[in-house]
Amino acid sequence: MAKRSKIVANDRRRVVVARLKERRDALRAASKDERLPMAERMAAGQALARLPRDSSPVRVRNRDQVDGRPRGHIGLAGLSRIRFRQAAHRGELPGITKSSW
């Protein structure tokens, strides 16, 4: 199980990303818009750099919904590979069956 502090920090990042998404998208679009003068584009880039680092969606980590494990995340179920396998064997995941050949 992951440290509780890491799980809480990741949840906090998700909140910050959602709160600043519109502002970040507008600044990114302005900094890439070639129709704007270079000074305005540079100002938009600097404003983007002044936003909190945790407002970037890249900093959010996919974690297991049950215990917060950061590695081996399977997005289909929102579980790590270990929990996914256990849940599939117990029949807790609809539509997932153990494969054998």
Side-chain angles (χ1 to χ4, degrees), residues 16-29:
V16 173
V17 166
R19 184 172 41 113
L20 295 175
K21 181 178 183 354
E22 292 176 7
R23 186 183 314 171
R24 178 173 280 278
D25 289 345
L27 288 172
R28 285 195 68 211

Side-chain angles (χ1 to χ4, degrees), residues 1-93:
M1 181 160 169
K3 289 172 49 174
R4 187 73 191 143
S5 61
K6 293 290 188 182
I7 296 170
V8 169
N10 199 48
D11 293 341
R12 187 181 61 240
R13 282 188 195 107
R14 286 187 193 275
V15 171
V16 173
V17 166
R19 184 172 41 113
L20 295 175
K21 181 178 183 354
E22 292 176 7
R23 186 183 314 171
R24 178 173 280 278
D25 289 345
L27 288 172
R28 285 195 68 211
S31 68
K32 291 182 178 183
D33 190 1
E34 295 183 4
R35 295 173 295 174
L36 293 176
M38 187 58 116
E40 286 184 33
R41 291 171 55 194
M42 294 293 285
Q46 290 172 350
L48 187 62
R50 281 193 300 269
L51 289 177
R53 283 186 178 181
D54 283 347
S55 68
S56 175
V58 172
R59 292 178 66 96
V60 175
R61 181 86 185 195
N62 288 328
R63 290 185 173 269
D64 187 318
Q65 292 178 355
V66 177
D67 65 358
R69 187 177 202 280
R71 304 280 181 125
H73 182 266
I74 298 175
L76 175 71
L79 301 173
S80 67
R81 60 186 175 80
I82 298 165
R83 294 257 179 204
F84 181 84
R85 186 169 188 265
Q86 291 170 350
H89 282 305
R90 288 192 302 258
E92 296 173 356
L93 300 174

